[in-house]
Structure formats: structure tokens, C-alpha cells
Amino acid sequence: AMVHKNSPNRMILNAGAGSFSCTRLVESDPVYIGDAELSVDSVFASLGKIRDFSNEVEVQQGGEHVIRMVTEAGKAAGMM
């Protein structure tokens, strides 16, 4: 465990077999698939866009993920 008094916040420290690394949580841009089109096939067909990390965002808090998803849905509905 990282217990040093100056340990950083918001860091995932991985440790194993004497080696250490750091993990970042990044998210791709949300891809909206409306209720009318929502199916396993439509999600599968959109995987190319869903897996596109060219505009990745490092998520600092869980709420950021929710805001990004709701914003995308609002754009699709013409609310933003």
C-alpha cells in the first residue's frame, strides 16, 4: 500500500513480483444509439466508433462519465 505522507491522490498503483506501474482511466467519446435503434447488432456495428480513443479523456471522477453520457444523449435529442 502507498502510505507515504506525500503519496499522490487519484493514482492507481499496480504492483506484482517486485515491479510497479501506474494505470490511467481514460474514456473514448460517447456514441449515442437511440432507443429505437438500440440492439446488440447496432452496438456491435458501432464498435469502431466506440473504441476510437483519438479524443480520449482521462476520467478524474465517476461523475464525469455520467455527465459525458448524458450530454451526448442531449446532443442527439437536439437539447444542446
Side-chain angles (χ1 to χ4, degrees), residues 43-62:
V43 173
F44 182 78
S46 299
L47 282 181
K49 288 191 256 181
I50 293 168
R51 295 176 69 190
D52 178 3
F53 281 89
S54 59
N55 294 317
E56 73 181 29
V57 171
E58 186 169 3
V59 178
Q60 299 293 322
Q61 301 176 34

Side-chain angles (χ1 to χ4, degrees), residues 8-76:
N9 292 322
R10 300 175 200 242
M11 179 184 157
I12 300 170
L13 179 66
N14 309 299
S19 298
F20 297 85
S21 65
C22 181
T23 297
R24 292 183 325 148
L25 292 177
V26 295
E27 181 175 85
S28 64
D29 281 338
V31 176
Y32 180 78
I33 303 172
D35 290 341
E37 299 85 29
L38 188 57
S39 69
V40 172
D41 291 330
S42 63
V43 173
F44 182 78
S46 299
L47 282 181
K49 288 191 256 181
I50 293 168
R51 295 176 69 190
D52 178 3
F53 281 89
S54 59
N55 294 317
E56 73 181 29
V57 171
E58 186 169 3
V59 178
Q60 299 293 322
Q61 301 176 34
E64 287 180 47
H65 161 77
V66 174
I67 291 168
R68 288 170 45 81
M69 295 298 194
V70 172
T71 299
E72 190 65 22
K75 288 178 189 175

